[in-house]
Structures are given as C-alpha cells and as structure tokens.
Amino acid sequence: NLTLDLTTNTDFAQVEADDQQVNLTRFSLFFPEKRQFFQERAAVFAFNLGDDDLLFHSRRIGLSNDGRPIRVLGGTRLVGRVGGLDVGFIDMETAAHDSLPAENLGVLRMRQRVLNANSTIGAMLTSRLAAGGRYNLAGGLDAMVRTIGDNYVTLKWAQTWDDSLPGGRPGRLASSSLLARFERRNLRGFSYVEEMTRSGADFLPRLGFNLRSDVSKLETHLRYAWFGTGTAAFQSVTLTGSSKVFLRNADGGTESAYVEPSLDVMLRSGRDVSLRLSENYESVTDSFDLAGNTPVPPGRYWFRQAQLQTTAPVAATFRPTFGLTVGQFYDGTLVAFTASPAWNPSSHLSWAPTTSSTGFAFPRVRSSPICISSACGSPRPTTRTSR
C-alpha cells in the first residue's frame, strides 16, 4: 500500500489559483496547498502545532514567500502504509531563483498505531539545505492516545536547528515548540478541548508555517449539543464557549485574547442559523498597517463583535449562505458581509460563487479612505512569511 511518484522539471501551471485574501491582522495569512502532487494522502505528513502552525507545509517547496513559482528540477515522493505504520517521504531539488540559492528540501514522516485503533505515536524530520552551506533542520515527536471512552490526550514536541543562530542552538528551549491537548470528542452532550502550546523565540521551521514566535497559548472550548426528537422544530442546538489567550514568553504580558460564546441551531428543514459574540483584546507593541495604508499605532485595544450567519439546507437546489459581522475593530468600527448563493440544478452541475466585503472606519484622521474587498486593494505585506 505504497505510492511512489518521481518527477523532473515539474510544471504546476495548471494548478488552481489561490483565493484572494485581505489581511486585517498583524500576522501572516495561511494559504492551503492546491497542487495535486502534494495533496495525495497529505494527512500522512500532518504535524500540527496549534492553530495553523505546521512543522511541515508543502507550499514551502517550489514557491517563494510571495507565492511566485520556483523551478523544481526534480524529486521523489513516497507515501503509504505498511501494516500499522504510516510512512511519508519527500525529497525535492529546486533551482536558484532571484536571490534564493538552489536548495534540497526533504521530509520524513512516520506514524505507528499503538494500544488501540485511535492511538498513534510518530516522528517527523525536515531539512532545508541551500547551496553555500546554509541549512535549517527540524525534528518532532508526537503522540495521540485515546484514554477512556471519548477522551484523548495529545502531546507534541518539535525542535529546530538553523545556521542563522550561533551554533544552531541545539537543544535549547528557545528553539522548540511544545503542545499538550486534552479533549473529549462527542457530537451529543458535553465535549471539550483544553490546549496549551509554547513556541520559543528561536523556533524557525523554515519548511513549515509558524504564525507567532516566543509566545505561550492557553485555549479552551466547551460545547454542549441537544438533538431534537419527534416533532421538535429543530434537529440540533449547540452551545459553545471558547476562549484563547497568547502570553509573551519574555515578560508574561498578554499579546492577544478573546472570549467567544456562540449558539448554533439546525432547524428541522435543514437550515442552519448561528450567532457568535466575541470580546477581543490586542496588545500592539509595534505599529502596523491595515491594507497597506491604515496605520494602527501601539496600544492596548478592547473591542467587541457580533456575527450572524444562515445557511440553506444542503439538499436545496438554491441554497444561499449569508453572513454579517458588526462591531468594534481596534479603536474603530467594522462591518463585514459574506454571500455565497450556491445553485445545484442537477447532480452533475454546481455553481457557487462567493463574495465578501469588509469596511472599517476609525475616529482619528487616517492616511486615506479605506476600501477593503475582493475587488479593491491588495493584501498588506506581512512581516513574516506570507504563505
């Protein structure tokens, strides 16, 4: 049950373009992999370190930080399962591109089923070796164990070694990332997720994706779901309470935090209606620009938002989805609208355009009027890798 792919002078010109995104944060945007060569059984290579953080992100191969293609000279990809062992191996060679040197990029992933059908232990190694002697190495160990009933424990550790740091700094906590997650997976009744992560200042997975550095995160999700019976007007009602706080490792101060209660109702007709409220906190230590022309000065910001979304039944021929978000945004106000009028005239044809528009205004004088939508403006350059 193994698949081996060999490629040379690879051309990804036929790949679907990325969805346009406008960055309304001071952090990087995450873009998913869309190249079929890397998509096949991509779950084998999964090593998530919390949120969108990944020890390995295949978009690092053959794409520059701004999304431009880099010539792939050739490589190999092996993925599959041997008994209860999942195996994934990639080795690719890329040509020099602008100021980027030629590179060899490799990843090895192994994951073994243990104890029961829902428990695994695994390891991952990645390497990024550039002409001229530059290097970046990463290694990680992970374990997910189903303990009692629907309760799971997940533990992960990752370490990086980079030539830009004195001596590569091997074995230091500053160049590591840690994750511990405790959860109960249950569609009916009570479920929860409690997750704690820590990312060091020198943790540099250059073949992965890391949104924040030198922070610790505490995250909690509590959920309770009811299912309607008989002639009840609803199929299900779900109450969720979520909170997340990011703490700076250097001084213990809060970098970001939010609390979000939500209510989701699935009606008997199949229509879904959800309401979310959020209380947000952001500590901005360095000024950054929204959409490239609207500065947000350093300071501490509290702001509240509300989101209402409705989705038509999946079986409907015409099933529009609408979402509306209103509230405060840093020291200003925000209004966002999303619409997706999906149309399925037959089992062979589906048409689902999506449009979204976000507008915000600030009380202070800003550099220029704002226009944020899929039809105007460009995503602001980010201080870290943008893809």
Side-chain angles (χ1 to χ4, degrees):
N1 191 21
L2 293 172
T3 300
L4 174 66
D5 294 302
L6 303 175
T7 180
T8 181
N9 199 27
T10 314
D11 180 13
F12 294 116
Q14 82 286 0
V15 175
E16 176 188 357
D18 290 319
D19 295 337
Q20 184 177 359
Q21 299 184 40
V22 177
N23 198 343
L24 298 182
T25 74
R26 62 188 191 274
F27 302 105
S28 302
L29 293 173
F30 178 83
F31 288 81
E33 178 63 80
K34 294 191 175 183
R35 296 170 293 180
Q36 187 176 357
F37 181 83
F38 296 107
Q39 284 182 328
E40 183 183 0
R41 303 184 75 165
V44 173
F45 295 94
F47 198 109
N48 183 276
L49 293 167
D51 297 323
D52 287 328
D53 292 354
L54 301 171
L55 189 61
F56 169 67
H57 187 31
S58 57
R59 287 183 62 102
R60 292 286 180 254
I61 301 175
L63 290 172
S64 63
N65 287 342
D66 58 4
R68 290 177 296 170
I70 299 173
R71 182 186 175 192
V72 176
L73 300 177
T76 182
R77 183 177 187 269
L78 176 70
V79 62
R81 174 173 291 181
V82 180
L85 177 67
D86 292 321
V87 178
F89 172 77
I90 295 176
D91 187 76
M92 307 290 286
E93 193 77 24
T94 60
H97 177 77
D98 294 339
S99 60
L100 299 176
E103 291 184 305
N104 178 270
L105 307 107
V107 57
L108 174 64
R109 174 63 160 151
M110 302 177 69
R111 187 173 56 202
Q112 175 68 49
R113 186 178 300 170
V114 296
L115 300 179
N116 53 60
N118 303 105
S119 300
T120 60
I121 59 172
M124 173 174 277
L125 295 173
T126 71
S127 65
R128 187 163 193 165
L129 310 177
R134 299 193 59 183
Y135 68 88
N136 178 267
L137 306 174
L141 300 173
D142 64 331
M144 182 184 69
V145 179
R146 183 176 184 176
T147 55
I148 301 174
D150 297 321
N151 295 284
Y152 291 78
V153 176
T154 302
L155 302 173
K156 297 185 181 184
W157 162 84
Q159 188 88 30
T160 61
W161 297 264
D162 194 275
D163 69 289
S164 65
L165 302 174
R169 298 225 181 145
R172 289 175 56 93
L173 185 61
S175 57
S176 66
S177 179
L178 306 171
L179 178 146
R181 181 189 302 123
F182 307 91
E183 59 186 315
R184 183 185 184 194
R185 303 175 183 177
N186 193 3
L187 295 178
R188 183 188 299 270
F190 176 71
S191 60
Y192 69 91
V193 176
E194 185 70 32
E195 182 175 286
M196 295 161 282
T197 65
R198 186 190 189 280
S199 178
D202 298 332
F203 181 65
L204 302 172
R206 298 194 190 277
L207 206 56
F209 184 87
N210 192 43
L211 195 64
R212 304 182 191 225
S213 294
D214 201 22
V215 296
S216 298
K217 181 193 73 173
L218 301 175
E219 182 175 356
T220 300
H221 298 276
L222 303 176
R223 177 180 176 273
Y224 196 91
W226 297 268
F227 285 83
T229 58
T231 59
F234 63 89
Q235 292 187 36
S236 64
V237 176
T238 305
L239 283 173
T240 305
S242 302
S243 67
K244 188 183 297 187
V245 58
F246 291 90
L247 304 174
R248 291 186 291 265
N249 294 333
D251 58 11
T254 302
E255 181 175 272
S256 302
Y258 81 84
V259 177
E260 182 184 86
S262 64
L263 171 65
D264 186 274
V265 179
M266 176 73 74
L267 301 178
R268 181 63 60 183
S269 63
R271 177 175 295 276
D272 186 84
V273 181
S274 63
L275 173 65
R276 286 172 172 78
L277 307 175
S278 65
E279 177 84 14
N280 303 273
Y281 170 81
E282 293 288 342
S283 174
V284 179
T285 56
D286 298 308
S287 178
F288 70 97
D289 289 341
L290 290 171
N293 62 356
T294 308
V296 175
R300 299 178 179 177
Y301 298 90
W302 284 96
F303 50 97
R304 300 179 179 89
Q305 295 179 355
Q307 180 188 72
L308 179 65
Q309 180 170 307
T310 176
T311 305
V314 176
T317 301
F318 179 68
R319 48 185 183 89
T321 296
F322 299 104
L324 177 65
T325 302
V326 296
Q328 302 163 315
F329 188 62
Y330 291 93
D331 57 342
T333 57
L334 176 144
V335 177
F337 176 76
T338 301
S340 180
W343 178 51
N344 298 322
S346 73
S347 59
H348 306 287
L349 177 64
S350 177
W351 186 70
T354 299
T355 181
S356 62
S357 180
T358 302
F360 53 86
F362 293 92
R364 296 191 296 271
V365 176
R366 295 292 183 175
S367 57
S368 63
I370 310 299
C371 178
I372 307 297
S373 73
S374 58
C376 59
S378 300
R380 67 172 181 85
T382 56
T383 56
R384 298 178 61 83
T385 57
S386 60
R387 277 174 159 70

